[in-house]
Amino acid sequence: MSPTTESKLITAVRQIAAEEILPRFRSLNEGDIATKSRMDDLVTVADREAERRLAEVAATLLPDVVVVGEEAVSADAKVRDAIDHSTCLIIDPVDGTWNFANGLATFAVILSISHNGETVWGMIYDPLGDDWAIATRGQGARLAKADGTETRLQYSQAGAPKAAMATGYVHSYLFHGDERQRLFSRLADFHKTDALRCSAHEYRLLSRGIVDFCVSPVLNPWDHAAGCLIVEEAGGIARLLTGEPYRPTQREGRLIVATSEDCWQMVRDTITAPDGTI
């Protein structure tokens, strides 16, 4: 993507968020919220309208790119298949919809571009702060603000913390059965684990080195593609539990994203049994 196209896309994201998302925050009516796969998997009119408008912008700025939106996939799962073989713009119009719908100020817009099954560009935009973490593969990651200032995102070379000192986000509520029980018993070895119900802000904090790692068993590309790229471009690691590098085409596995190779290994060793399973 050229710098001009990137600039236009960022401008469009900010405008759409200002017009479709922010006016509806803490102003949703009962009819503006619906459920999808389960009672706490929500979609709002803001999700749908923001995705619709972002898709329209993509048709103009990126006419050769296939749009894969979270809500489009919810309506037709086959839409996701395009990531396997096309250049795609992957959209999460409101990441953290449960927070958004319940008046919690922890939500964001996530965009990424994948090519031949690899993420090549990603952006996580915070509408309330009007700033964004952004990365292009091979060109580093940065945090940009509306006033034009930018800060490079780059981890220090310090060694990984021991588990007892490490903090991170673990989507433990998405694990099930015996695996969930085993995971809970191992989380006590870390200093602190949380979940924000918003991958966007988890990745933003991880990319700044404020937390050390994230663990998730659900590989929705709209949740992870941009964040994994931003972390990798800051010098971190994004791999499945098996050691396979993360790609947005993956549908099964347990994802560990960490600030360094040593940190990734520490997290893997902490949450897994000797046979390599959770």
Side-chain angles (χ1 to χ4, degrees):
M1 185 183 345
S2 71
T4 298
T5 300
E6 180 183 83
S7 178
K8 289 180 178 179
L9 185 57
I10 292 169
T11 297
V13 170
R14 294 174 64 203
Q15 180 179 351
I16 291 168
E19 295 174 356
E20 302 293 350
I21 299 173
L22 288 179
R24 293 182 167 105
F25 182 49
R26 295 179 178 165
S27 297
L28 293 168
N29 298 315
E30 183 177 348
D32 294 332
I33 307 172
T35 59
K36 296 192 291 185
S37 62
R38 57 185 188 273
M39 290 301 296
D40 63 346
D41 183 14
L42 305 181
V43 61
T44 74
V45 63
D47 296 80
R48 292 182 173 131
E49 288 304 302
E51 182 169 305
R52 178 185 63 79
R53 290 189 57 187
L54 287 166
E56 290 175 351
V57 168
T60 300
L61 293 180
L62 303 163
D64 297 326
V65 170
V66 178
V67 174
V68 178
E70 177 183 7
E71 306 315 324
V73 174
S74 179
D76 180 1
K78 292 181 180 179
V79 172
R80 183 173 176 175
D81 295 344
I83 300 173
D84 297 339
H85 52 74
S86 302
T87 300
C88 297
L89 177 66
I90 304 169
I91 302 173
D92 190 340
V94 182
D95 184 63
T97 298
W98 188 92
N99 295 341
F100 178 81
N102 287 284
L104 297 178
T106 309
F107 58 90
V109 181
I110 307 178
L111 298 181
S112 59
I113 294 177
S114 67
H115 177 67
N116 292 334
E118 180 179 60
T119 312
V120 296
W121 180 87
M123 171 187 179
I124 301 175
Y125 175 65
D126 177 7
L128 291 170
D130 195 19
D131 60 12
W132 50 99
I134 191 167
T136 299
R137 184 164 296 279
Q139 298 181 27
R142 63 195 191 277
L143 180 66
K145 298 183 178 181
D147 63 6
T149 61
E150 293 188 351
T151 303
R152 184 185 180 194
L153 297 172
Q154 183 68 50
Y155 299 122
S156 70
Q157 298 303 307
K162 294 182 179 179
M165 297 295 293
T167 63
Y169 295 114
V170 181
H171 300 167
S172 52
Y173 61 97
L174 294 175
F175 288 83
H176 300 287
D178 291 343
E179 186 181 42
R180 182 175 185 175
Q181 294 299 320
R182 292 192 297 268
L183 177 68
F184 271 118
S185 70
R186 291 164 183 153
L187 294 183
D189 291 338
F190 294 114
H191 174 64
K192 185 178 181 181
T193 58
D194 290 307
L196 298 181
R197 299 187 68 103
C198 178
S199 294
H201 279 286
E202 292 175 355
Y203 278 120
R204 281 175 57 110
L205 290 173
L206 179 60
S207 70
R208 293 165 58 199
I210 294 173
V211 297
D212 302 302
F213 64 89
C214 291
V215 178
S216 182
V218 177
L219 302 185
N220 293 327
W222 43 86
D223 290 328
H224 300 293
C228 285
L229 177 64
I230 291 166
V231 167
E232 289 176 317
E233 288 297 314
I237 302 295
R239 296 193 194 121
L240 302 190
L241 191 68
T242 59
E244 182 182 358
Y246 169 78
R247 294 173 68 89
T249 54
Q250 293 158 338
R251 303 193 183 211
E252 300 290 338
R254 278 75 183 103
L255 175 63
I256 302 174
V257 188
T259 56
S260 69
E261 176 70 40
D262 288 345
C263 187
W264 189 92
Q265 291 289 347
M266 177 274 293
V267 174
R268 183 184 185 278
D269 291 346
T270 302
I271 66 172
T272 58
D275 66 358
T277 62
I278 293 177

